[in-house]
Amino acid sequence: MDALVSDNKKIKIEQFPVTGMSCAVCASSVESILSSTEGVLKASVNFASSSVLVEYEETTSKEGLQNALREIGYDLIIETEDPVRTQEALQRKQYESVKKRTLWAALFTLPVFVLGMFFMDWETGKWVSMGLSVPVLFYFGKSFFTNALNQAKHGKANMDTLVALSTSIAFLFSVFNTLFPDFWFAKGIEPHVYYEAATVIITFISFGKLLEEKAKSSTSSALKKLMGLQVKTVKVILDGKEQEMPILAVQKGFTLMVRPGEKIPVDGTVASGSSYVDESMITGEPVPVAKVKGEKVFAGTVNQKGGFQFIAEKIGEETLLSQIIKMVQQAQGSKAPVQKMVDKIAGVFVPIVMSVSLLTFVIWMLVGGENAFSHALLTSVTVLVIACPCALGLATPTAIMVGIGKGAENHILIKDAISLELGHKVSAVVLDKTGTITEGKPMLTDMVWEGKNNYRHAGLLLSLESQSEHPLAGAVVQKLERDGVQPIALDYFESITGKGVKGNNLAGESFFVGNLALIHEYKITVSSDLQSQASEWQEQAKTVVYFANKTNVMTIIAIADKIKATSKPAIEKLKKKGIKVYMLTGDNCKTAKVVSEQVGLTAYKGEVLPADKAAFVEELQRKGETVAMVGDGINDSQALAQADVSIAMGHGTDIAMDVAKMTLITSDLASIPKAFHLSTKTVQSIHQNLFWAFIYNVIGIPIAAGVLYSFNGFLLNPMVAGAAMALSSVSVVLNSLRLKSIKL
């Protein structure tokens, strides 16, 4: 994605897979290194998806970013056309590698554990344990030491530092006691060894990482389902012959063939043939949609029984499916506000733990009595082992990833984590009318001309409405074209936002099409008959459009837009949750009143201009409300940008969808309560995860330091600490995965 900054420097926003991250501190390190790299405006790491979203100047090379990370032991995947699939392949490779190392470490650790637990006084057993511990620590657990060393070179520390320090201290102390037991015997102390502690810690933590990798891959299952809709090859008609070629070779303008049961490869327009297409994976609409010549088709949808040819119009990243995938990817990589606070804590967590461990050692040496050294060593090692920030780092991103994935499965596209986090706080919802509450498929029902002579201007009306972007204009154009009206050339055209359009014919005469506000603005006269007719239509919830020359209204047009069947139940559901619901429309007040009554609303405003909508949202915000704006048109964009949570209808304009942070693919208001419910559940999951991650350390570290010893003589075994630490990370991920089973 490209964008322009104010000083005309072109910037790029790109997501890269990152390898080598083992904990939240690593994520913090990667983020700080990239953020401080010249030319980088912003870097945001998602530890759960092992990726980073980077905003950087075009003049900054990807190699430069890659080298910056390589210097501290991480890597950035840049040389690939499909980074997501490359990342998946790397994750699979990583999973297999961790699995292999864990199994072998467990195999070597088992005899060490048995010897340490049941034959602790057998001298030969100590030598056997030492021999078996070496490969467990320095081969199968090599990555902990390598990563810790890379971090240390740059004055940083992470979870691997804690693991490497604790296991190496336990191992070296045991080696000393195995080689020089007389040193302790001379002091009257039994020389204990802790090979089983060192090896079990490595095995348990490796096992925890194995479960974590497995669970993390499940958090992006929704994205994988979307990507599975993309096809690899297409059938192209070239020189009248059908040829199969890779999807990447397709160019705009190519004629593609789609047979029954095949997925449509790119977006385009049907050129010949007809069929029904299942678009449920994109729109949620369960009934297959008829496709004939001139109809649009979308990548990823499935052709049913008929065959047809279509012209490729959007390829690669331009297709609707690619846009959805990219939106989900970037949203899953975005950070919730609470995550920024967690990152800061994780960044200072490891140094604090190391300090606590050292303090524990010193205190035990001072007050530990005859077993001071062994207790000091044991407790300081246990503190290092139990205090892993992994659970802390996974708490928020895993919940966000699963939540956004769950939304995508339910046709709710959420662009960023902030919207997902804010959704549950929404206290006021502002709805647009046309295309939001109504179907947005207006039909012209009546047209009355003031005098027969005026009908000669029907061609001008057709020309003006043909150039208008307003959804109502299409209904007028369709009717006039069906009646055989021919357009008349215009000399001038101007769109007046929120009111209508004006234009001049070749003779320089001005004509206007729009609402009553436009007619009043130009002081155009409306006859009493037309006024009476317009009032009658408005009582029937029909929208009235006026066509006038510069002095008189020549015709009035009634347009009806059916209210969606789900609008009223959805509004009732929001109101039951205690959310205030408002309707704003540019339509006249009478129509607004009738429509609002039909959907059970008492708070509405008609004849509202785009700026007024934004001002209304701002006013609600000033009153302390958290406002969600729901709209579909260009005229809603300003209000969408102003709202705390912006929601666009999937069938709306591209601009509205670009501005909005959520898009309802089905354009169904019933999805709004679902989105808020998803937000509530996701935030609950984040809070639960953070609570357990913090409470685990708050309780675990003092116990590991030996605070219970003076009460009941209890000291936590480092092996148990290792298992607890591994389980804390796994429990956080599993708690996030529970979101997948909630019913929206």
Side-chain angles (χ1 to χ4, degrees):
M1 183 188 294
D2 294 343
L4 285 175
V5 290
S6 56
D7 56 358
N8 292 327
K9 286 180 181 174
K10 197 170 185 181
I11 63 166
K12 286 189 168 184
I13 304 172
E14 207 163 346
Q15 189 157 0
F16 299 100
V18 181
T19 61
M21 292 194 296
S22 60
C23 67
V25 181
C26 297
S28 180
S29 297
V30 168
E31 203 167 275
S32 69
I33 291 293
L34 285 177
S35 297
S36 59
T37 303
E38 191 177 348
V40 174
L41 280 73
K42 187 180 174 186
S44 179
V45 172
N46 184 319
F47 174 51
S49 65
S50 299
S51 62
V52 58
L53 191 66
V54 188
E55 288 183 32
Y56 63 102
E57 291 174 7
E58 193 182 40
T59 50
T60 304
S61 71
K62 294 178 185 177
E63 288 75 13
L65 304 177
Q66 189 181 47
N67 291 335
L69 283 192
R70 281 180 173 174
E71 284 183 12
I72 57 167
Y74 308 109
D75 203 354
L76 205 65
I77 308 300
I78 57 170
E79 294 163 352
T80 174
E81 289 182 348
D82 193 342
V84 175
R85 289 190 194 281
T86 304
Q87 186 180 26
E88 275 186 17
L90 286 170
Q91 282 177 336
R92 275 197 300 276
K93 191 178 172 185
Q94 169 73 2
Y95 175 75
E96 290 302 323
S97 172
V98 174
K99 185 178 172 183
K100 196 173 172 183
R101 282 189 275 120
T102 305
L103 287 174
W104 280 105
L107 201 65
F108 278 69
T109 297
L110 184 62
V112 178
F113 177 77
V114 172
L115 290 171
M117 290 289 107
F118 305 108
F119 304 96
M120 57 192 75
D121 296 326
W122 185 33
E123 286 302 317
T124 309
K126 293 178 182 176
W127 288 89
V128 172
S129 294
M130 186 173 71
L132 291 172
S133 299
V134 170
V136 174
L137 264 69
F138 304 114
Y139 185 71
F140 305 124
K142 185 176 67 177
S143 61
F144 296 111
F145 295 90
T146 309
N147 292 338
L149 199 61
N150 284 331
Q151 293 290 317
K153 283 178 186 172
H154 293 82
K156 292 179 178 292
N158 64 0
M159 168 205 153
D160 294 325
T161 309
L162 300 179
V163 176
L165 266 178
S166 58
T167 54
S168 59
I169 289 170
F171 177 76
L172 291 174
F173 181 66
S174 302
V175 169
F176 181 85
N177 289 356
T178 305
L179 297 176
F180 311 105
D182 294 339
F183 176 82
W184 295 109
F185 282 129
K187 297 177 183 292
I189 298 172
E190 184 72 22
H192 294 292
V193 294
Y194 297 98
Y195 295 119
E196 77 284 358
T199 53
V200 168
I201 288 168
I202 292 286
T203 303
F204 273 162
I205 292 175
S206 298
F207 183 62
K209 288 184 82 66
L210 183 70
L211 294 178
E212 191 180 300
E213 290 292 330
K214 182 76 176 170
K216 274 163 63 179
S217 67
S218 300
T219 60
S220 58
S221 58
L223 192 61
K224 287 173 186 167
K225 281 181 192 171
L226 284 171
M227 293 177 71
L229 297 175
Q230 294 174 314
V231 300
K232 305 284 183 209
T233 59
V234 295
K235 295 182 180 70
V236 180
I237 308 297
L238 288 175
D239 300 326
K241 292 180 181 177
E242 188 178 306
Q243 295 181 23
E244 190 162 322
M245 64 170 60
I247 183 77
L248 294 176
V250 174
Q251 294 179 18
K252 289 180 186 176
F254 275 20
T255 302
L256 308 181
M257 180 72 204
V258 182
R259 292 207 164 78
E262 290 182 344
K263 284 179 188 166
I264 293 166
V266 296
D267 294 358
T269 301
V270 177
S272 64
S274 64
S275 181
Y276 282 85
V277 174
D278 179 1
E279 296 185 337
S280 59
M281 59 292 293
I282 300 289
T283 64
E285 174 59 55
V287 181
V289 182
K291 298 291 179 184
V292 294
K293 186 178 179 181
E295 295 276 349
K296 298 283 183 189
V297 289
F298 303 98
T301 55
V302 181
N303 182 27
Q304 300 292 293
K305 292 182 178 176
F308 61 87
Q309 294 181 1
F310 74 99
I311 308 297
E313 291 173 342
K314 290 184 179 178
I315 58 173
E317 293 186 349
E318 296 174 348
T319 66
L320 178 62
L321 179 61
S322 294
Q323 293 294 321
I324 291 172
I325 290 172
K326 195 162 189 172
M327 202 183 288
V328 173
Q329 278 176 343
Q330 293 193 350
Q332 288 188 330
S334 64
K335 279 190 178 177
V338 67
Q339 178 62 25
K340 292 173 184 169
M341 182 266 292
V342 173
D343 285 350
K344 285 181 183 173
I345 295 172
V348 297
F349 190 77
V350 172
I352 289 174
V353 169
M354 291 168 70
S355 303
V356 171
S357 173
L358 187 62
L359 186 65
T360 302
F361 185 87
V362 172
I363 291 174
W364 272 103
M365 287 300 289
L366 293 175
V367 301
E370 60 179 16
N371 293 319
F373 184 77
S374 59
H375 284 172
L377 184 74
L378 197 69
T379 49
S380 57
V381 165
T382 309
V383 167
L384 290 174
V385 172
I386 205 166
C388 171
C390 267
L392 208 58
L394 289 167
T396 305
T398 51
I400 292 291
M401 285 182 73
V402 178
I404 287 173
K406 182 78 180 176
E409 285 176 359
N410 285 274
H411 312 292
I412 303 165
L413 287 181
I414 302 165
K415 272 189 186 174
D416 65 13
I418 298 172
S419 296
L420 187 59
E421 195 179 331
L422 274 178
H424 79 290
K425 291 182 182 173
V426 168
S427 57
V429 172
V430 179
L431 301 169
D432 170 48
K433 179 179 75 71
T434 306
T436 302
I437 292 177
T438 64
E439 290 184 343
K441 295 175 183 173
M443 300 289 292
L444 191 153
T445 60
D446 305 277
M447 180 183 282
V448 173
W449 291 88
E450 180 82 350
K452 290 182 180 177
N453 281 341
N454 282 331
Y455 189 74
R456 62 194 167 92
H457 295 302
L460 274 169
L461 174 62
L462 174 59
S463 298
L464 286 166
E465 290 293 71
S466 297
Q467 295 190 39
S468 172
E469 294 176 338
H470 198 282
L472 297 183
V476 178
V477 171
Q478 282 180 7
K479 175 70 168 69
L480 293 177
E481 286 181 343
R482 274 202 306 273
D483 291 348
V485 175
Q486 294 300 314
I488 295 175
L490 295 174
D491 185 46
Y492 169 76
F493 176 84
E494 180 187 348
S495 177
I496 305 165
T497 306
K499 294 181 180 175
V501 298
K502 63 177 284 192
N504 294 347
N505 62 10
L506 296 180
E509 296 173 300
S510 296
F511 294 88
F512 305 84
V513 186
N515 56 23
L516 197 57
L518 180 76
I519 300 303
H520 285 163
E521 183 177 326
Y522 286 89
K523 298 181 172 53
I524 298 168
T525 305
V526 189
S527 71
S528 57
D529 287 347
L530 289 183
Q531 279 183 15
S532 173
Q533 182 63 67
S535 295
E536 189 180 320
W537 287 342
Q538 286 164 352
E539 295 294 337
Q540 299 167 16
K542 291 179 180 177
T543 303
V544 179
V545 176
Y546 299 79
F547 174 48
N549 57 29
K550 63 181 181 180
T551 55
N552 296 299
V553 171
M554 297 182 290
T555 183
I556 55 173
I557 303 159
I559 296 175
D561 189 6
K562 195 177 170 186
I563 293 172
K564 291 174 190 169
T566 53
S567 292
K568 189 175 181 182
I571 289 168
E572 282 175 359
K573 212 167 184 176
L574 289 170
K575 288 164 76 176
K576 277 183 184 173
K577 285 176 175 283
I579 296 172
K580 303 178 188 80
V581 185
Y582 304 87
M583 185 188 82
L584 300 183
T585 176
D587 217 333
N588 68 79
C589 292
K590 284 184 181 174
T591 303
K593 181 174 183 290
V594 175
V595 171
S596 63
E597 284 173 354
Q598 288 179 359
V599 294
L601 282 176
T602 52
Y604 67 91
K605 276 191 174 184
E607 298 174 13
V608 178
L609 294 174
D612 298 332
K613 288 186 180 181
F616 185 78
V617 170
E618 195 175 356
E619 187 186 333
L620 289 176
Q621 288 170 324
R622 274 200 301 273
K623 291 177 181 172
E625 307 281 6
T626 303
V627 185
M629 172 71 203
V630 190
D632 69 328
I634 296 170
N635 59 339
D636 299 318
S637 303
Q638 199 173 337
L640 286 168
Q642 175 66 40
D644 300 291
V645 177
S646 47
I647 303 171
M649 293 284 130
H651 293 157
T653 62
D654 290 344
I655 293 174
M657 282 188 278
D658 282 347
V659 173
K661 298 299 182 188
M662 285 191 196
T663 298
L664 308 181
I665 297 290
T666 55
S667 296
D668 185 350
L669 287 186
S671 294
I672 297 175
K674 289 182 182 178
F676 294 165
H677 182 58
L678 177 64
S679 167
T680 303
K681 290 294 179 185
T682 305
V683 171
Q684 281 176 358
S685 183
I686 290 172
H687 289 168
Q688 288 162 1
N689 288 347
L690 287 175
F691 172 79
W692 288 113
F694 277 113
I695 206 73
Y696 163 81
N697 284 300
V698 167
I699 296 174
I701 290 176
I703 292 175
V707 294
L708 297 179
Y709 187 78
S710 58
F711 302 104
N712 55 14
F714 176 77
L715 281 181
L716 188 65
N717 191 310
M719 293 186 293
V720 178
M725 189 272 273
L727 286 175
S728 71
S729 297
V730 174
S731 62
V732 160
V733 178
L734 291 178
N735 188 49
S736 295
L737 288 174
R738 286 196 308 122
L739 281 171
K740 293 175 85 170
S741 61
I742 64 167
K743 190 177 177 184
L744 294 181

